[in-house]
Amino acid sequence: MAKKNKDDYSIADALRVPSGPVRVEDFDPDSAPDYPGEGKADAPAQMADLAPELSDLQERLYAAGRDNPRSRRLLLLLQGLDTSGKGGVIRHAVGMVDPQGIDLTAFKVPTAEERSHHYLWRIRRALPGPGMIGIFDRSHYEDVLVVRVDELAPLDEIPKRFDEINRFEAELADQGVTLIKCFLNVSRDEQKDRLLERLENPEKHWKYNPGDVDVRKKWSAYMDAYSDVLTHCNTEHAPWFVIPADKKWYRNWAVARLMVEHLRAMDLQWPEADFDVDTEIARVQTS
Amino acid sequence: MAKKNKDDYSIADALRVPSGPVRVEDFDPDSAPDYPGEGKADAPAQMADLAPELSDLQERLYAAGRDNPRSRRLLLLLQGLDTSGKGGVIRHAVGMVDPQGIDLTAFKVPTAEERSHHYLWRIRRALPGPGMIGIFDRSHYEDVLVVRVDELAPLDEIPKRFDEINRFEAELADQGVTLIKCFLNVSRDEQKDRLLERLENPEKHWKYNPGDVDVRKKWSAYMDAYSDVLTHCNTEHAPWFVIPADKKWYRNWAVARLMVEHLRAMDLQWPEADFDVDTEIARVQTS
């Protein structure tokens, strides 16, 4: 395959969930849409190709945020079942970005304090500041996923929460937050292989939790819950992207590329000097 | 120069401040002690050489911290004048590490709330959790540096603070925090060049602040203040390292290498499984 020009395709178009009812099963976890290289072998080179532009764009975003509390920000939201690779994406794709521009939050089982508030309370507190790239490892979607599957709230709450989440995300868009919502779509077979890999390698035992198998047994309930999320919370201002996640190298590249495309679309300019440049040059030279 | 074996030297030994009275002027900002390569040209390769071990060690630290609130942690503390490269070190050396294992705090001019507390209050709140690598971009040392130079507190407070800081850092060491205190030592001439570079490149104007020249005019007061810090707060459990910072490539490499050496010394082991591995393999296989 000939190497594509970096500007003649949009991974966002390729991975965006179409509007209307969808099912997770409609998406192929093992595909690699719009990948510009050959495959796994050249994935490090493809990632390296994205790095300078991602770095430049992130620095422009950061610079713009320094003196402007109303400036743009990016929020990458990662959802997916165990072993789908939320951690891998953070390590390999987010890891390409200057740590000073990253604001990472991993949402765990809510604490007692968090449970005493509305479920969006802890989310609002973790929103990225001006110029920052926020990363959500899990998110408010847990409140319509695990909460629904394990019936941690009355089930008739779920459709209300979909509406509430859509309003919340519209509000974020209004405030200058560009949201990239990624569902990392791993297949049931691949999940099994990855769990076994963790068990067979003593250096990976710490990543394994017996509870992962209990969750795995609820696979079809999770597919139903994710299908409803992808159907009901897939809006114009905050669309979902389904990232094929059986190929780790594609998954990482696709998320990095999504960040590049969304940052490009912001048309970020370097801030202008709020001082007289020649005066300052003279001051430094005589100092 | 023949490439050194990675285990036959210690950058920590080479850069550690000797005990007793020292002056910043005793240290050469343009040197490159123990650098195993040729110079700037092979610096990317030297950084890449450190990356796999740094990554492995960080993951071991993180794994150990998952189930043990008393486990080890690392705290890299960066001090230095404007343009000495605190941001560059974070971008290039800290940026080599998985963002999930990094807890970065940039200490700015204290807020009203921070000023209403003891100066160590905001420092304690920002300490890294178990298994994490904390990064302090500036620190409690500002409270004996800018506070002294600009007389923001009575000057007889400063020696008291030295004692207090030494006790605080001894307490951290007792709690399992390995502290790496780095003074990024840039020369006065190199600072001038870097400030001019920021002024001459419109993409770097946002990094320039006219106040930087005002601080530059107090150069010798800062050298006195840093000399006293390196003399009085250079303890067995929390020594200072002076990082020659005129060569950016050396500065970044040296800090990355310091992290590797300190993590190596922790002798970090992968946590043992707290479940029966064979039972879990069977559960996954039939799930």
Side-chain angles (χ1 to χ4, degrees), chain A residues 87 90-91 94-95 99 102 104-106 108 137 206, chain B residues 54-55 57-63 65-66 72-76 94-104 127-135 259 263:
Chain A
I90 296 170
R91 189 179 188 101
V94 176
I102 296 294
L104 168 66
T105 309
K108 313 279 185 190
D137 176 354
W206 68 279
Chain B
L54 181 54
S55 175
L57 289 165
Q58 178 274 326
E59 197 172 1
R60 286 168 186 260
L61 180 72
Y62 186 82
R66 282 253 295 208
R72 305 295 301 267
R73 54 207 83 181
L74 191 70
L75 178 54
L76 175 70
V94 176
M96 286 165 48
V97 177
D98 185 343
Q100 295 168 99
I102 296 294
D103 188 356
L104 168 67
L127 292 171
M132 297 294 284
I133 300 181
I135 313 292
M259 287 197 285
L263 286 166

Side-chain angles (χ1 to χ4, degrees), chain A residues 152-172:
Chain A
L152 304 175
L155 287 184
D156 60 2
E157 268 287 303
I158 303 301
K160 288 181 211 163
R161 289 188 178 186
F162 289 157
D163 291 343
E164 198 165 42
I165 286 172
N166 289 339
R167 284 196 303 274
F168 169 62
E169 292 178 354
E171 188 191 301
L172 292 185

